Amino acid sequence: MMDTRHPIYLDYAATTPVDKRVVETMSGYLGMDGVFANPASVDHAGGAQAAAAVNAARARLVEAVNARPSELIWTSGATEADNLALKGAVQAADGETPHIVTVSTEHKAVTDTCRHLENKGARVTRLHPDTDGLIQPAAVAAALEPDTAVVSVMWVNNETGVMQDIPGIARVLHGHRCLFHVDGAQALGRIGIDLEDSGVDLLSLSGHKIYAPKGIGALYVRRSARGRLTAQMHGGGHEQGLRAGTLATHQIVAMGEAASLARDELFAESARIRALSGSFLESVQALPGVHLNGHPEQRAPHILNLRFDGVDGEALMADLAWRGRGLAVSGGAACSAATREPSHVLRELGLDDEQARASVRFSLGRFTHREEITAAAEKTRDAVSRLRRISPLWDAAV
Amino acid sequence: MSDTPYSDTVWAHFDNPGNIGRWSEDAAEVRTGEARTPAGQDVLHLHMRVRDGLIRESRFQAYGSVAVIAVGSWLSEWLRGRSVAEARDLDSARIAEQLDLAAVQRYCAIMGQDALRAALSARRETRD
């Protein structure tokens, strides 16, 4: 019997709960009875065991993306990985004013870092996607300059789920000396990733998007790119000198376990989630004036960014969250209640402020069940219909 | 529902708003006022039927935040049976106080006052 008071969680793109199997694994690396020692203290058995656990986790994560263990740098999360990739590449580049090519719809971890580097003297070209959210590889090629140090394009957009043509972009970058960085936080565990022949030099990964805890992530650094990054964290030379700091054994073991589970269950899980999100979309589109933001096919299965004509996103989210059985969803992005700033990603797709504000992100995950999707769709239809009865904009439109 | 981030009064009106809608364009004695935020983000329409200096009925339509919907609902209830003179005295501070609006929601009270003033000064031909 399902607890109907328990909210329906459809915000997996924001974060995921830790998988019980992951909790069980990581709990063996915390207490006095566990492998708590510092993995750098290899002169005693506990430390050696911790180092072995870190190495095993590294092997499990690289296996999930087809890379080598030496190509993985543990970080505190994808934001730190993005910072290391971009700042590290620009600082290691030759020339006075290195050039960056990026996309206007990137996550803030990339856009804010690029802005910071621009303020420090780097030059930044920001490509604008088409109305489906896609960047054409030819546009990336056209933006390249002789001193382009790094090209940064996210694989799966965190707001819309739109999937960029990373292999296509890698092909046009072939032969250019720039590094190719990809933010893969929303891609890992959602789409198949094979880095070996991908042409990707740097890939940011996050633990808490794949049912590991918050506070752990990694940067994949292709072996040929290792000498072309400058460390951003100093103090002990851990992680091949690229990221100092005592390794968080329990977090690392958790991310290794989560990556293995994600790899083993990827095919079945993505098919199941694709079917559920398809059902949800079909069900809410029984109402008129409900639109999917972003490309209808070139997308990861877990994110649906929907726009409801005549309805304000804040009121809709409040209705969904607090009336009856709660539904946890997100605005287009950080739709701040104070500033009510519309999403920069949706505006880049050509939506006006009213359309951007009428948009809500639903994101599904491992623990989303069909009955939850049925209930969530019904609740969403009810809330949209209710708010439309109040809305003068909807009244004027129909 | 005290576990929402809204005041009890705001939530009660948002959860179960009264007097939604409008009258047809040619209905008698109807005055309508509209208020918008500068960026056009929130919209409040206030309608009322006025006869002999008394507001007989009021309805509202709102698009935007939870608070603007609550303000519309509250106003439509408060106005019923009030005199035009009383309605003119209602200001945004009183609306904010009555609904216990948070600082970031105060603009909704100003929208309420603006829509009310606009409706009160609207003149329509009466068709009986």
Side-chain angles (χ1 to χ4, degrees):
Chain A
M1 185 73 183
M2 181 174 287
D3 180 2
T4 53
R5 291 165 306 167
H6 189 69
I8 300 170
Y9 187 76
L10 292 180
D11 202 14
Y12 281 85
T15 195
T16 62
V18 181
D19 191 296
K20 280 180 185 157
R21 296 167 287 185
V22 174
V23 174
E24 197 175 322
T25 301
M26 73 185 289
S27 64
Y29 294 84
L30 288 164
M32 192 66 207
D33 299 337
V35 184
F36 70 89
N38 192 325
S41 305
V42 289
D43 295 332
H44 55 71
Q49 281 173 17
V54 166
N55 288 335
R58 200 187 301 276
R60 299 180 87 181
L61 178 52
V62 294
E63 196 182 4
V65 293
N66 195 19
R68 299 175 188 201
S70 62
E71 293 176 313
L72 201 75
I73 306 298
W74 296 112
T75 65
S76 61
T79 294
E80 188 194 329
D82 287 341
N83 272 265
L84 174 56
L86 294 167
K87 292 175 183 169
V90 165
Q91 287 171 16
D94 302 328
E96 291 288 299
T97 57
H99 180 236
I100 303 169
V101 177
T102 184
V103 182
S104 57
T105 48
E106 292 293 300
H107 189 277
K108 296 271 187 194
V110 167
T111 59
D112 286 357
T113 304
C114 287
R115 179 78 62 193
H116 169 81
L117 290 166
E118 196 172 30
N119 291 339
K120 297 278 183 189
R123 289 173 304 113
V124 179
T125 300
R126 295 175 183 83
L127 301 171
H128 299 279
D130 61 23
T131 53
D132 281 335
L134 290 173
I135 289 288
Q136 299 307 320
V140 178
L144 292 174
E145 295 180 14
D147 60 351
T148 301
V150 60
V151 171
S152 183
V153 180
M154 78 199 303
W155 211 318
V156 172
N157 187 275
N158 58 305
E159 290 191 38
T160 62
V162 168
M163 192 166 70
Q164 298 294 353
D165 179 9
I166 296 302
I169 294 169
R171 274 194 296 278
V172 302
L173 295 180
H174 188 75
H176 194 286
R177 61 187 305 278
C178 68
L179 293 174
F180 184 25
H181 168 248
V182 174
D183 183 333
Q186 294 288 351
L188 183 63
R190 270 62 186 227
I191 61 172
I193 296 177
D194 184 340
L195 289 170
E196 182 57 33
D197 298 316
S198 66
V200 173
D201 297 307
L202 306 163
L203 181 74
S204 299
L205 298 168
S206 170
H208 77 101
K209 309 291 191 191
I210 61 161
Y211 312 93
K214 296 154 191 69
I216 184 68
L219 181 67
Y220 159 82
V221 181
R222 182 177 292 280
R223 50 202 172 280
S224 57
R226 195 177 313 145
R228 299 173 60 193
L229 279 190
T230 299
Q232 301 299 307
M233 193 82 84
H234 303 91
H238 307 72
E239 296 298 275
Q240 304 171 57
L242 277 176
R243 201 277 188 178
T246 299
L247 292 173
T249 315
H250 62 299
Q251 304 273 63
I252 288 168
V253 163
M255 187 158 176
E257 170 82 4
S260 272
L261 293 170
R263 191 189 76 131
D264 293 348
E265 296 172 10
L266 174 68
F267 186 74
E269 186 167 292
S270 62
R272 193 180 70 84
I273 289 173
R274 192 179 301 280
L276 289 176
S277 61
S279 298
F280 182 79
L281 180 62
E282 191 182 334
S283 182
V284 293
Q285 283 191 324
L287 291 177
V290 180
H291 316 277
L292 178 66
N293 292 322
H295 196 281
E297 280 105 36
Q298 200 161 327
R299 58 191 308 109
H302 66 301
I303 298 177
L304 289 173
N305 193 304
L306 301 180
R307 187 169 87 247
F308 302 92
D309 292 347
V311 172
D312 178 78
E314 187 208 312
L316 179 57
M317 282 188 290
D319 190 315
L320 295 175
W322 304 107
R323 291 184 86 240
R325 185 180 179 191
L327 192 58
V329 296
S330 274
C335 185
S336 156
T339 64
R340 312 207 65 203
E341 182 186 353
S343 150
H344 76 284
V345 171
L346 298 180
R347 282 167 56 96
E348 284 294 324
L349 268 55
L351 271 60
D352 63 27
D353 286 358
E354 186 183 308
Q355 291 172 320
R357 281 171 36 116
S359 299
V360 172
R361 178 185 73 185
F362 300 83
S363 50
L364 290 65
R366 182 172 292 164
F367 307 110
T368 308
H369 299 294
R370 182 157 287 279
E371 62 261 52
E372 286 183 313
I373 284 300
T374 305
E378 186 184 337
K379 188 176 171 65
T380 303
R381 287 197 312 269
D382 288 350
V384 169
S385 301
R386 184 178 92 89
L387 293 170
R388 280 177 173 172
R389 280 195 295 278
I390 306 173
S391 169
L393 305 187
W394 183 252
D395 184 33
V398 294
Chain B
M1 198 131 156
S2 56
D3 52 348
T4 76
Y6 305 97
S7 76
D8 288 347
T9 314
V10 165
W11 187 258
H13 279 279
F14 176 76
D15 190 30
N16 191 18
N19 311 309
I20 297 162
R22 59 180 169 85
W23 286 280
S24 65
E25 295 292 324
D26 57 354
E29 306 158 346
V30 173
R31 301 185 192 186
T32 293
E34 181 187 277
R36 286 174 181 261
T37 45
Q41 293 180 342
D42 292 75
V43 182
L44 177 61
H45 288 193
L46 190 65
H47 314 278
M48 49 202 198
R49 294 177 80 119
V50 181
R51 196 168 68 235
D52 303 331
L54 274 186
I55 298 163
R56 311 282 164 165
E57 266 188 286
S58 175
R59 293 181 184 174
F60 85 100
Q61 293 171 300
Y63 165 86
S65 61
V66 169
V68 77
I69 291 171
V71 164
S73 170
W74 181 85
L75 266 177
S76 70
E77 287 181 5
W78 186 87
L79 286 168
R80 187 187 174 96
R82 304 262 173 188
S83 69
V84 168
E86 270 181 293
R88 278 195 204 288
D89 281 344
L90 182 70
D91 62 11
S92 61
R94 174 109 183 269
I95 297 171
E97 182 187 282
Q98 289 293 312
L99 283 145
D100 194 15
L101 293 182
V104 295
Q105 300 165 335
R106 290 290 174 92
Y107 75 95
C108 299
I110 295 172
M111 288 181 68
Q113 178 180 325
D114 288 351
L116 176 57
R117 299 260 158 104
L120 289 169
S121 50
R123 286 281 165 202
R124 287 190 54 134
E125 290 297 312
T126 299
R127 290 184 1 160
D128 291 311

